[in-house]
Amino acid sequence: MIRAAILGASGYVGGELMRLIAGHPAIKVGVAFGASSAGQPVSSVHPHLALAYASEHFARWDPKKLRGCDLILAALPHGETQRLADQLVAADLPIVDLGADFRLDSAEQFERWYGEPHARPDLLSTFVYGLPEFHREEIRGAARVAAPGCYPTAASLALRPLIEAGLVEPTGIIVDAASGVSGAGRGAGAGTHFCAVDGNFRAYGLLGHRHTAEMEMMTGASILFTPHLASLSRGILATCYAQARQPGDPLQVLRDAYANERFVHVGEMPPETKWAAGSNAAFLTARYDERTNRIISLAAIDNLGKGAAGQMIQCANLMLNLDEAAGLSTMGIYP
Amino acid sequence: MIRAAILGASGYVGGELMRLIAGHPAIKVGVAFGASSAGQPVSSVHPHLALAYASEHFARWDPKKLRGCDLILAALPHGETQRLADQLVAADLPIVDLGADFRLDSAEQFERWYGEPHARPDLLSTFVYGLPEFHREEIRGAARVAAPGCYPTAASLALRPLIEAGLVEPTGIIVDAASGVSGAGRGAGAGTHFCAVDGNFRAYGLLGHRHTAEMEMMTGASILFTPHLASLSRGILATCYAQARQPGDPLQVLRDAYANERFVHVGEMPPETKWAAGSNAAFLTARYDERTNRIISLAAIDNLGKGAAGQMIQCANLMLNLDEAAGLSTMGIYP
Amino acid sequence: MIRAAILGASGYVGGELMRLIAGHPAIKVGVAFGASSAGQPVSSVHPHLALAYASEHFARWDPKKLRGCDLILAALPHGETQRLADQLVAADLPIVDLGADFRLDSAEQFERWYGEPHARPDLLSTFVYGLPEFHREEIRGAARVAAPGCYPTAASLALRPLIEAGLVEPTGIIVDAASGVSGAGRGAGAGTHFCAVDGNFRAYGLLGHRHTAEMEMMTGASILFTPHLASLSRGILATCYAQARQPGDPLQVLRDAYANERFVHVGEMPPETKWAAGSNAAFLTARYDERTNRIISLAAIDNLGKGAAGQMIQCANLMLNLDEAAGLSTMGIYP
Amino acid sequence: MIRAAILGASGYVGGELMRLIAGHPAIKVGVAFGASSAGQPVSSVHPHLALAYASEHFARWDPKKLRGCDLILAALPHGETQRLADQLVAADLPIVDLGADFRLDSAEQFERWYGEPHARPDLLSTFVYGLPEFHREEIRGAARVAAPGCYPTAASLALRPLIEAGLVEPTGIIVDAASGVSGAGRGAGAGTHFCAVDGNFRAYGLLGHRHTAEMEMMTGASILFTPHLASLSRGILATCYAQARQPGDPLQVLRDAYANERFVHVGEMPPETKWAAGSNAAFLTARYDERTNRIISLAAIDNLGKGAAGQMIQCANLMLNLDEAAGLSTMGIYP
């Protein structure tokens, strides 16, 4: 068994990683670092895992504990991986990082969208962007992968084949997306209070959401991205609009692009976030509107699955030459 | 007291009309027609009104019962008002109709979007479109008003001042909206089952939703409209995108346009549907995105309030020379 | 107009008080104290009130600002009213307090359930317990009223008439109740995070919830109370079980007891929390189970309405010789 | 691979069975009977399974199609299995039935609670009650198993060890439970409409819910059972109250009783339904209240997991001499 060191194991993504690994045929948890919960039983923070992790405890960060591990899975708040970079590099282990730190390929872009200089621009080029549907071969041979987050994954899956096929204009694309609250993490605040979200719907981060940079990098297009917070725990739906550039059926383009993908379903029905809940699946559809000459393309994923922990495991499977689907499900929990 | 005859009183909009009228200083319920519930106590269908309507029953439709009434409020399924047109016209009472039947100003447009010929094109021009913020004076003198539904109300409030000010291109505007389930009415079906909506988010009616016609009529623009079903009972948020045409601050344009409106609030914060829940209020904001030269404008309302029953009462108040705000609240129930 | 000073105006109960007062014919807000939000516009904390309170700001606590006010409405965290007692007494104004501080009639009981000595036992007897359905006359003449909270209100309404009629044994009564999250207040924490409540249901405070003391005081019975947290923002349902003592129809006993009450509805149908949402209404039913010789009695209220702000206004109306129902609604917002 | 015939495959339990079987190492779907959906693709009814069941279709009922199958899993509406009994018996296959038809051990009890005579009392004794934690050995050797439903599973797990240990009086036990809506099945009606459940909480089936009979059969106690409908898709929490009979720690009794069970977790924290979502796990706790001499015991399960499809698979695993946990998870999807 491959022993994984999980950084950020007490967060939502960390919990999902532990859940997936408990059912993984070839990976097990070596050490679960959980800063704020160090020393506590895993079940005190993740009671849903109490039967699977009956006696495990969270560890305090200590790079020496990486010895004996074979893989690093980092699900830390933005900025943390940069800070730990020396220690992680020294461990010389394959790493999948979900933070934003090493996703962008340019330190300038990072500084522009994150408002601070990048601490380790020298390492940027050593990370491969971990969206297997587009970078499978690079990931397979990579030692370091920066897995994209939830919004860029959904938007890229919906848009990139249409742009590559020349079907849509690569400028002024609208990505209008709704997300469940777990995307904001476990931290409690006014915006994640139950009463502030229950039965509510709102946009946030108007004009300047940081994920715009990744979407533009992944599609080569200019994008106006508006995230919304929906009254759900998990799930992202990206509804994307672009001007049509030439005749063509966007649904067929998506079908062709993902014909051999095990986690992407392209169908007629508008996808629903709940189809993907708890899984690594993505559900897509698209249409051409003759009246306005616009193309609309939609993708639904679980932000903690294909948008986070599932994607990390999918990348790790590729890096370790395991079955790409090991430990992952294509089936959401419904209803 | 003005006695109102309510058609469709056993539906969600009908229940909201009865709730508002119970608190209205000058209107009371004369007769509550409720086809499927005729003969039953109001409280059996609307138990939340059991204290206010302790002994009232739903009546079977009978135009003779309109005698003794002073006002007709019709909240019927699409097509029903056309069918009853002769009887309603004969009653010679002021009428506010929430159905789609008399909203569009052209029989051709009706047939195009609703897929059937209009039964009474001769009456189309006798109805005034009932969005008080844009047609206050026409409504004041009108005998017949066709009140717009939820999506067109939200989209028109968000877009029309920007188009009139020449700030945005009137072509290819995107209206991406999310609605609560009550907008689909009380009828039970696979799509309104709790488990199909709870914790879920999805688009529907891709490309062809009928409300597009009203939005285009109200704004003079061409529009691609995508409704979504959100996991909430009440509320609509319309997120609208348009290409900027000339410099200008869309937020200021909205502030100026609605400076004297008692039910429209324009602010900096992205509006939330829950702010409006149970009220007749609309909350708006807007931004200009220099990067993509796009304007984004958002409006949140309660689909049963400003998007249905509240708007009907607001129109009736104007028609009857009452205080426009009588019986209406500007305050949502929060949390 | 009577000018009310609101303490704790930036909390959920405070916001509900401001909403009710905005529609009250005889009371207006004199000063809104909001400790943590002092100096900020009301609309920044309560955006749903932005149209009704366009220019008001929260004030920092200062007893001098009570001059010019005619009424104090205190919705403070437990313990705060004791701390402010001298200043409040000095103001010599009618006061309705929603805190637990002056609800119990014995300092011993307070210390037992709240784990600390009472700071002002001398004032305990100067407060009348504010459940109008049971203490209307005392409240009418009172200068100081301690309004009960949500759970005791629901349980007392469901149980007290049955106990007074001798229908049930006053020992070992079970009160099993479910509450919406707003009952826990606006404070953000792990337990009120959206993801911890959404689609979830759990008991809390096993055996030792403090509201037990009030329920026992109000009913004279010994009670085992188990609160549950339900996936809703507002609402409380109390399902109460007691051993039957003598033959009799508990439903009829409730009907008789509340025949003249304007805010209590007794009916056949099991009550639903949503019937009461946003209102001051209570909905009740009861049954006798011959098989087990048990009586079950249920009550549904809005924890922020009849369980908090609505009840405070009802008490204030009585104290000020206003119409008991002024500014209050009997109708929930449904759906 | 063992080929399973699923009856009722288009319902919620049927969908969950297909999801579990898709991940089962030794069972696969032989034929999926779905009366109302016969001929349609599985993905049209269960779109969340579209990747796992890309080309399968629902079959019309035809006992000849049972040939070639090795196992029958029946998830039919109450009464249907009786009607099909001759055909099912003739097939001579191991069967796990989730209907109520063969759960009770007496035709009289069936008639009393279901209001109709039992059509096949001769077969009653040929079915073993399928709660593995209590009947493991009988199930292992059985050809026919009647798996208990959601409420009796939760209540029996919480109560039976306490009753067997003599800790509680076996009379007048209160089972107060809350369930998600999927327990009511996929059928659309007024009671399962999103708006009727969202943000709502209510009791139903007062005094006479049919599951009472099973609970009493399983525990040997007399029980007053009150189910509630909660605003969630999945999950059941049973909160049970009984009079204490002798000193003893109920938590320790539960710990001992389930020490070797792989799907039952006994802990200090009050269990939450969401811990079990999508899994076959049960989470329990218990307390003794000295003040009222009552014991409270709580159990949380997923009504579609341990309360339906999971339990069926667990039984099938035992009957087929497979690993009891094959294809099942102990970990809920959280958040």
Side-chain angles (χ1 to χ4, degrees):
Chain A
M1 296 288 277
I2 291 150
R3 280 164 304 181
I6 302 178
L7 282 72
S10 58
Y12 284 151
V13 177
E16 190 74 350
L17 282 170
M18 296 187 76
R19 185 178 72 82
L20 294 175
I21 289 174
H24 196 290
I27 304 180
K28 66 173 194 173
V29 173
V31 56
F33 295 109
S36 57
S37 308
Q40 295 179 29
V42 165
S43 63
S44 69
V45 174
H46 301 308
H48 61 300
L49 306 180
L51 285 161
Y53 293 91
S55 54
E56 282 79 356
H57 289 68
F58 292 111
R60 195 172 309 278
W61 170 247
D62 177 354
K64 286 196 293 291
K65 293 179 185 155
L66 294 175
R67 288 177 212 154
C69 289
D70 311 297
L71 171 70
I72 296 172
L73 299 170
L76 295 167
H78 134 77
E80 291 289 302
T81 319
Q82 290 176 53
R83 205 175 52 78
L84 300 177
D86 280 342
Q87 298 170 314
L88 296 174
V89 166
D92 197 25
L93 293 175
I95 178 168
V96 183
D97 179 28
L98 188 73
D101 302 47
F102 296 101
R103 287 178 191 156
L104 296 177
D105 48 19
S106 124
E108 287 71 34
Q109 283 290 311
F110 184 88
E111 184 163 353
R112 173 178 177 185
W113 289 94
Y114 289 83
E116 55 191 86
H118 199 288
R120 297 300 302 267
D122 57 307
L123 293 177
L124 278 178
S125 65
T126 71
F127 278 79
V128 167
Y129 195 75
L131 224 174
E133 285 71 16
F134 302 131
H135 309 106
R136 184 165 285 114
E137 293 318 310
E138 298 94 306
I139 298 168
R140 233 190 270 276
R144 296 181 193 146
V145 169
C150 44
Y151 286 124
T153 297
S156 300
L157 288 172
L159 286 171
R160 186 160 154 151
L162 305 178
I163 293 171
E164 287 188 340
L167 224 60
V168 304
E169 295 289 347
T171 53
I173 290 177
I174 304 293
V175 174
D176 186 288
S179 172
V181 185
S182 61
R186 173 165 244 142
T192 59
H193 192 293
F194 179 80
C195 295
V197 182
D198 170 55
N200 205 355
F201 191 75
R202 65 176 170 95
Y204 65 97
L206 297 186
L207 308 189
H209 194 283
R210 293 160 168 184
H211 280 176
T212 306
E214 267 180 75
M215 292 180 195
E216 297 195 335
M217 181 182 79
M218 279 302 288
T219 60
S222 76
I223 289 178
L224 173 54
F225 165 51
T226 310
H228 295 74
L229 192 68
S231 189
L232 40 147
S233 289
R234 287 176 178 241
I236 280 195
L237 182 75
T239 303
C240 310
Y241 304 88
Q243 193 162 344
R245 191 177 180 180
Q246 60 176 54
D249 176 8
L251 187 58
Q252 192 55 48
V253 169
L254 293 181
R255 283 195 211 271
D256 294 345
Y258 298 115
N260 297 317
E261 291 297 336
R262 293 157 79 179
F263 291 107
V264 182
H265 182 269
V266 182
E268 280 282 342
M269 292 168 66
E272 312 188 6
T273 57
K274 210 171 171 177
W275 298 351
S279 84
N280 196 49
F283 294 90
L284 279 69
T285 198
R287 298 283 191 286
Y288 170 62
D289 183 41
E290 200 172 354
R291 253 179 17 92
T292 59
N293 197 38
R294 291 289 189 282
I295 279 174
I296 177 172
S297 183
L298 300 103
I301 61 171
D302 180 342
N303 57 296
L304 291 179
K306 182 66 181 164
Q311 186 130 281
M312 292 173 78
I313 298 294
Q314 191 179 357
C315 288
N317 287 342
L318 286 167
M319 294 161 79
L320 301 165
N321 275 315
L322 304 171
D323 174 8
E324 184 177 341
L328 298 171
S329 171
T330 64
M331 300 174 290
I333 306 290
Y334 188 99
Chain B
M1 296 288 276
I2 289 151
R3 279 164 305 180
I6 302 178
L7 282 72
S10 59
Y12 283 150
V13 177
E16 189 74 351
L17 281 170
M18 295 187 76
R19 185 177 72 83
L20 294 175
I21 289 174
H24 197 290
I27 303 180
K28 66 173 195 171
V29 173
V31 55
F33 295 109
S36 58
S37 308
Q40 294 179 30
V42 165
S43 63
S44 68
V45 174
H46 301 309
H48 60 301
L49 306 181
L51 284 162
Y53 294 91
S55 54
E56 283 80 357
H57 289 68
F58 291 111
R60 194 173 309 279
W61 169 247
D62 178 353
K64 287 197 293 290
K65 292 178 185 157
L66 293 175
R67 288 178 213 154
C69 289
D70 310 298
L71 171 71
I72 295 172
L73 299 170
L76 296 167
H78 135 76
E80 290 290 301
T81 319
Q82 289 177 54
R83 206 176 51 77
L84 299 177
D86 280 342
Q87 297 170 315
L88 295 174
V89 166
D92 197 25
L93 293 175
I95 177 167
V96 183
D97 180 29
L98 189 74
D101 302 49
F102 297 100
R103 287 178 191 157
L104 297 177
D105 49 18
S106 124
E108 288 70 33
Q109 282 290 311
F110 184 88
E111 184 163 353
R112 174 177 177 187
W113 288 94
Y114 288 82
E116 55 190 83
H118 199 288
R120 296 302 301 267
D122 57 307
L123 294 177
L124 278 179
S125 64
T126 71
F127 278 80
V128 167
Y129 194 76
L131 225 174
E133 284 71 17
F134 300 131
H135 310 105
R136 184 165 285 115
E137 293 316 312
E138 299 95 304
I139 297 168
R140 234 192 268 276
R144 296 179 193 147
V145 169
C150 43
Y151 286 124
T153 296
S156 300
L157 289 172
L159 286 170
R160 188 162 151 150
L162 304 178
I163 292 171
E164 286 188 341
L167 224 61
V168 304
E169 295 289 346
T171 53
I173 291 177
I174 305 293
V175 175
D176 186 287
S179 172
V181 185
S182 61
R186 174 165 241 142
T192 58
H193 192 294
F194 179 81
C195 295
V197 182
D198 170 56
N200 205 355
F201 192 73
R202 65 177 170 94
Y204 66 98
L206 297 186
L207 309 190
H209 194 283
R210 292 160 168 183
H211 281 175
T212 307
E214 268 180 74
M215 292 179 194
E216 297 195 335
M217 181 182 79
M218 278 302 289
T219 58
S222 76
I223 289 177
L224 173 54
F225 166 50
T226 309
H228 294 74
L229 193 69
S231 190
L232 40 146
S233 290
R234 288 176 177 239
I236 280 195
L237 182 75
T239 304
C240 310
Y241 304 89
Q243 195 163 341
R245 194 177 177 180
Q246 60 176 52
D249 177 7
L251 187 58
Q252 192 56 48
V253 169
L254 293 181
R255 282 195 212 270
D256 293 345
Y258 298 115
N260 297 316
E261 292 296 338
R262 293 157 77 178
F263 292 107
V264 182
H265 183 270
V266 182
E268 280 283 341
M269 293 167 66
E272 312 188 8
T273 58
K274 211 170 171 177
W275 298 351
S279 84
N280 196 50
F283 293 89
L284 278 70
T285 198
R287 296 283 190 287
Y288 169 63
D289 183 41
E290 199 171 357
R291 252 180 16 93
T292 60
N293 197 37
R294 292 288 189 282
I295 280 174
I296 177 171
S297 183
L298 300 103
I301 61 170
D302 180 342
N303 57 295
L304 291 179
K306 183 64 183 166
Q311 185 129 282
M312 292 173 77
I313 297 294
Q314 191 180 355
C315 288
N317 287 341
L318 286 168
M319 294 161 78
L320 300 166
N321 277 313
L322 303 171
D323 174 7
E324 184 176 341
L328 298 171
S329 171
T330 64
M331 301 174 289
I333 306 291
Y334 189 99
Chain C
M1 296 288 278
I2 289 149
R3 278 163 304 179
I6 302 178
L7 280 72
S10 59
Y12 284 151
V13 177
E16 190 74 350
L17 282 170
M18 295 188 77
R19 185 178 72 83
L20 294 175
I21 290 174
H24 197 291
I27 303 180
K28 66 173 194 172
V29 174
V31 55
F33 295 109
S36 58
S37 308
Q40 294 180 31
V42 166
S43 63
S44 69
V45 173
H46 301 308
H48 60 302
L49 306 180
L51 285 162
Y53 294 91
S55 54
E56 283 79 357
H57 289 68
F58 291 112
R60 194 173 310 277
W61 169 246
D62 179 353
K64 287 197 294 291
K65 293 181 185 153
L66 294 174
R67 287 178 213 154
C69 289
D70 310 298
L71 170 70
I72 295 173
L73 300 170
L76 295 167
H78 134 76
E80 291 289 302
T81 320
Q82 290 176 55
R83 205 176 52 77
L84 300 178
D86 281 342
Q87 297 170 313
L88 295 174
V89 166
D92 197 25
L93 292 176
I95 177 167
V96 183
D97 180 28
L98 189 74
D101 302 48
F102 297 99
R103 287 178 190 158
L104 297 177
D105 48 19
S106 123
E108 288 70 32
Q109 282 291 312
F110 184 88
E111 184 163 353
R112 174 177 177 185
W113 288 93
Y114 288 83
E116 56 190 84
H118 198 288
R120 297 299 302 268
D122 58 307
L123 293 177
L124 277 178
S125 64
T126 70
F127 278 80
V128 168
Y129 195 74
L131 225 173
E133 283 72 18
F134 301 131
H135 310 105
R136 184 165 286 115
E137 293 317 310
E138 298 94 306
I139 298 168
R140 235 192 268 276
R144 296 181 193 143
V145 169
C150 43
Y151 286 124
T153 296
S156 300
L157 289 172
L159 288 170
R160 187 161 155 150
L162 304 177
I163 293 171
E164 288 188 339
L167 224 60
V168 304
E169 295 289 349
T171 54
I173 290 177
I174 304 292
V175 175
D176 186 289
S179 172
V181 184
S182 61
R186 172 165 245 143
T192 58
H193 192 292
F194 179 81
C195 294
V197 182
D198 171 55
N200 205 355
F201 191 75
R202 65 177 171 94
Y204 66 97
L206 296 186
L207 309 188
H209 194 284
R210 294 161 166 184
H211 281 175
T212 306
E214 267 179 75
M215 292 180 195
E216 298 195 334
M217 181 182 79
M218 278 301 289
T219 59
S222 76
I223 289 177
L224 174 54
F225 166 50
T226 310
H228 294 74
L229 192 68
S231 190
L232 38 147
S233 291
R234 288 176 177 241
I236 280 197
L237 182 75
T239 303
C240 310
Y241 305 88
Q243 195 164 342
R245 192 176 180 183
Q246 60 176 53
D249 176 7
L251 188 58
Q252 191 57 45
V253 169
L254 292 182
R255 281 195 212 272
D256 293 346
Y258 298 116
N260 297 317
E261 291 296 338
R262 294 156 79 178
F263 291 108
V264 182
H265 183 269
V266 182
E268 280 282 342
M269 292 168 65
E272 312 188 7
T273 57
K274 210 170 171 177
W275 297 351
S279 84
N280 196 51
F283 293 89
L284 279 70
T285 198
R287 297 282 191 287
Y288 169 63
D289 183 41
E290 200 172 355
R291 252 177 21 90
T292 59
N293 196 37
R294 290 289 188 284
I295 279 174
I296 177 172
S297 183
L298 300 103
I301 61 170
D302 180 342
N303 57 295
L304 291 180
K306 182 66 182 164
Q311 186 129 279
M312 293 173 77
I313 297 293
Q314 191 180 357
C315 289
N317 287 341
L318 286 167
M319 295 162 79
L320 300 167
N321 276 315
L322 303 172
D323 174 8
E324 183 176 341
L328 298 171
S329 172
T330 64
M331 301 174 290
I333 306 290
Y334 189 99
Chain D
M1 296 287 277
I2 290 150
R3 278 163 306 180
I6 303 178
L7 280 72
S10 58
Y12 283 150
V13 177
E16 190 74 350
L17 282 170
M18 296 187 76
R19 185 178 73 83
L20 294 175
I21 290 174
H24 197 291
I27 303 180
K28 66 172 195 172
V29 174
V31 56
F33 295 110
S36 57
S37 308
Q40 294 180 30
V42 165
S43 63
S44 68
V45 173
H46 300 308
H48 60 301
L49 306 180
L51 284 162
Y53 294 92
S55 54
E56 283 79 358
H57 289 68
F58 292 111
R60 194 172 309 279
W61 169 247
D62 178 355
K64 287 197 293 291
K65 292 180 185 154
L66 294 175
R67 288 177 212 155
C69 289
D70 310 298
L71 171 69
I72 295 172
L73 300 170
L76 296 167
H78 134 77
E80 291 289 302
T81 319
Q82 290 177 54
R83 205 175 52 78
L84 299 178
D86 281 342
Q87 297 170 317
L88 295 174
V89 166
D92 197 25
L93 292 175
I95 177 168
V96 183
D97 180 28
L98 188 73
D101 301 49
F102 297 101
R103 287 178 191 157
L104 297 177
D105 50 18
S106 126
E108 288 70 34
Q109 282 290 312
F110 184 87
E111 185 163 352
R112 174 178 176 186
W113 288 93
Y114 288 84
E116 56 190 85
H118 198 288
R120 296 302 301 270
D122 57 307
L123 294 177
L124 278 178
S125 65
T126 70
F127 278 80
V128 168
Y129 195 76
L131 224 173
E133 284 72 17
F134 301 131
H135 310 104
R136 184 166 285 113
E137 293 317 310
E138 298 95 304
I139 297 168
R140 233 191 269 276
R144 296 180 193 146
V145 169
C150 42
Y151 286 124
T153 297
S156 301
L157 289 171
L159 287 170
R160 188 161 154 151
L162 304 178
I163 292 171
E164 288 188 339
L167 223 61
V168 304
E169 294 289 347
T171 53
I173 290 177
I174 304 293
V175 174
D176 186 288
S179 172
V181 185
S182 61
R186 173 166 244 142
T192 58
H193 192 294
F194 179 81
C195 295
V197 182
D198 170 56
N200 205 355
F201 192 74
R202 65 177 170 95
Y204 66 96
L206 297 186
L207 310 189
H209 194 282
R210 293 160 166 182
H211 281 175
T212 306
E214 268 180 74
M215 292 179 193
E216 297 194 334
M217 181 182 79
M218 279 302 288
T219 59
S222 76
I223 289 177
L224 173 54
F225 166 49
T226 310
H228 295 73
L229 192 68
S231 190
L232 40 147
S233 290
R234 289 175 177 241
I236 280 196
L237 182 75
T239 304
C240 310
Y241 304 89
Q243 195 163 343
R245 192 177 179 181
Q246 60 176 50
D249 177 6
L251 187 59
Q252 191 55 47
V253 170
L254 293 181
R255 283 194 211 270
D256 293 346
Y258 299 115
N260 297 316
E261 292 296 338
R262 294 156 78 178
F263 292 107
V264 183
H265 183 270
V266 182
E268 281 283 342
M269 292 167 67
E272 312 188 7
T273 57
K274 210 169 171 176
W275 297 351
S279 84
N280 196 51
F283 294 89
L284 278 70
T285 198
R287 297 284 190 286
Y288 169 63
D289 182 41
E290 200 172 356
R291 255 181 13 95
T292 59
N293 196 38
R294 291 288 188 283
I295 279 175
I296 177 172
S297 184
L298 301 103
I301 61 170
D302 180 341
N303 58 296
L304 291 179
K306 183 66 182 164
Q311 185 130 281
M312 292 173 78
I313 298 293
Q314 191 180 357
C315 288
N317 287 341
L318 286 167
M319 295 162 79
L320 300 166
N321 277 314
L322 303 171
D323 173 8
E324 184 177 340
L328 297 171
S329 172
T330 64
M331 301 173 289
I333 306 290
Y334 188 98

